[in-house]
Amino acid sequence: MASGNVTFVKDFFIVGFPGLPPSYYGLVSGVMFLVYLCILMGNGLFLFLFATEKSLHKPVYYTFLSLVISDVLFSTSTLPKAIAKYWFQDGSISFLGCFIQMYFVHYLGTVNSFVLALMSIDRYVAVCKPLRYHTIMTNRNVFILSLIAWLVANTSPLMMSSRAFPLPYCGSNSILQCYCDHISITRLACTDRAPYSVPALISALIALLGSLAIIIFSYFCIVIEVLRISNSGGRLKTLSTCTSQLIIISLYFLPRCFNYLAANIGLTFNADLQIAIVMLYSLLPPMINPLIYCFRTQEIKKILMAKYQKNKISLP
């Protein structure tokens, strides 16, 4: 490629929803701001309860703590710029800033996959190995496993970012998405993207499907164990301990698997619908997860009620 007439990209522009009329920009930015506020408040509530209530310092809540931290970081690394795009019509992002955002998007997504797999292992041990639960799933062991998940999750995103960063970007600088991700960025490179996109796709699928395989195996064993319980009330009680995590897992994995499946069987959507699906599975779980844990977990509900009653009594 001749270097004389080539102008390299110095920053990127986040397009967001390409078919959205400007008259709806205020509504979209308001919805995104409300979602971000709900994410911060809901996850902040759990962080406050976890920090102030020693009764929550248990393995299952330590795993959820990792999920909460990951969700807050993911939302903070993506939503403010998406809100600014529609609120202030400011969709520009620096070249380096876009790659930093891309790294965090894929890193924190991978962390979530690993943490959800760890949560399913916790439920497997609780249901299938109840007498050994407090020996296997100690706070120390869960902390070590969580730390490993955060460290191992860094491998693939770091590889993706370091390989994509030096590519020649000399064409369009418009990212057809609400945030920078690997596919959106490498599509703009003035080179064959196959050597970069294929390894990135394989590593992403390994993280996603590997975690999903652990989850499916864990819950398959749980279902087998539950079916052995002769009392129907006992079966329901045992399954009820898993429902919160099953809802979280479904919200995270099902839309992602659908998106990957649709892309591979040739099922296409218009750009606005595809971006809406991505935003849905990226932002709905962080907003819903605290509600599930705070309102479906008896222990946290009791703590919330106790605090409410205490504050009610202290009021004049």
Side-chain angles (χ1 to χ4, degrees):
M1 182 183 294
S3 59
N5 296 323
V6 175
T7 302
F8 288 93
V9 169
K10 295 182 179 179
D11 55 16
F12 293 99
F13 182 81
I14 295 175
V15 175
F17 299 96
L20 186 69
S23 58
Y24 288 95
Y25 283 8
L27 176 62
V28 170
S29 62
V31 170
M32 287 185 177
F33 179 76
L34 183 61
V35 168
Y36 186 44
L37 196 61
C38 290
I39 290 172
L40 293 181
M41 290 177 63
N43 288 283
L45 174 63
F46 177 82
L47 288 174
F48 171 75
L49 292 177
F50 185 85
T52 57
E53 297 292 334
K54 290 186 178 181
S55 61
L56 296 182
H57 293 182
K58 298 177 181 179
V60 64
Y61 296 116
Y62 272 106
T63 56
F64 188 62
L65 178 65
S66 284
L67 193 65
V68 164
I69 293 172
S70 177
D71 284 343
V72 170
L73 291 176
F74 180 90
S75 304
T76 301
S77 64
T78 56
L79 269 178
K81 175 50 67 176
I83 293 169
K85 151 68 185 171
Y86 289 108
W87 204 323
F88 305 108
Q89 286 76 55
D90 179 20
S92 63
I93 183 171
S94 69
F95 188 89
L96 178 61
C98 194
F99 279 90
I100 291 174
Q101 187 182 65
M102 181 190 80
Y103 165 77
F104 278 110
V105 163
H106 294 287
Y107 172 53
L108 296 170
T110 306
V111 168
N112 273 19
S113 296
F114 290 168
V115 171
L116 289 174
L118 179 57
M119 292 171 75
S120 72
I121 292 173
D122 175 87
R123 289 300 86 198
Y124 162 77
V125 177
V127 175
C128 300
K129 311 286 183 182
L131 298 180
R132 299 181 59 193
Y133 178 80
H134 294 291
T135 303
I136 299 173
M137 302 303 292
T138 63
N139 288 347
R140 178 178 178 274
N141 289 345
V142 169
F143 174 79
I144 291 173
L145 290 173
S146 298
L147 182 62
I148 291 172
W150 281 84
L151 293 175
V152 173
N154 182 62
T155 306
S156 175
L158 190 62
M159 177 271 294
M160 293 164 60
S161 303
S162 60
R163 295 193 70 209
F165 185 79
L167 294 179
Y169 298 93
C170 53
S172 171
N173 69 337
S174 297
I175 294 176
L176 197 62
Q177 185 55 273
C178 287
Y179 52 73
C180 299
D181 64 357
H182 187 268
I183 294 177
S184 301
I185 292 177
T186 54
R187 278 176 179 167
L188 305 179
C190 303
T191 185
D192 179 18
R193 62 184 298 270
Y196 307 93
S197 61
V198 173
L201 176 62
I202 292 173
S203 63
L205 288 177
I206 289 174
L208 184 69
L209 298 181
S211 300
L212 186 58
I214 293 173
I215 292 168
I216 291 173
F217 174 78
S218 298
Y219 278 96
F220 175 79
C221 294
I222 288 172
V223 170
I224 295 298
E225 189 68 25
V226 168
L227 291 176
R228 293 176 179 171
I229 301 174
S230 57
N231 189 310
S232 60
R235 288 197 294 267
L236 290 174
K237 184 177 179 180
T238 303
L239 284 175
S240 67
T241 64
C242 305
T243 53
S244 298
Q245 289 188 8
L246 283 174
I247 294 171
I248 293 173
I249 289 165
S250 299
L251 287 172
Y252 183 84
F253 281 99
L254 291 182
R256 281 173 169 79
C257 291
F258 172 77
N259 199 33
Y260 283 120
L261 181 63
N264 284 281
I265 65 175
L267 185 62
T268 58
F269 310 98
N270 65 53
D272 290 301
L273 181 58
Q274 190 165 1
I275 293 171
I277 292 173
V278 172
M279 293 299 288
L280 184 68
Y281 70 61
S282 297
L283 300 176
L284 186 60
M287 185 172 63
I288 298 297
N289 289 350
L291 296 177
I292 293 173
Y293 260 84
C294 289
F295 292 104
R296 291 188 61 88
T297 306
Q298 290 295 327
E299 193 167 9
I300 294 183
K301 282 197 290 186
K302 289 179 181 178
I303 292 172
L304 288 173
M305 288 301 298
K307 287 185 176 293
Y308 172 76
Q309 293 293 338
K310 183 180 179 181
N311 291 333
K312 187 177 179 181
I313 294 171
S314 62
L315 289 174

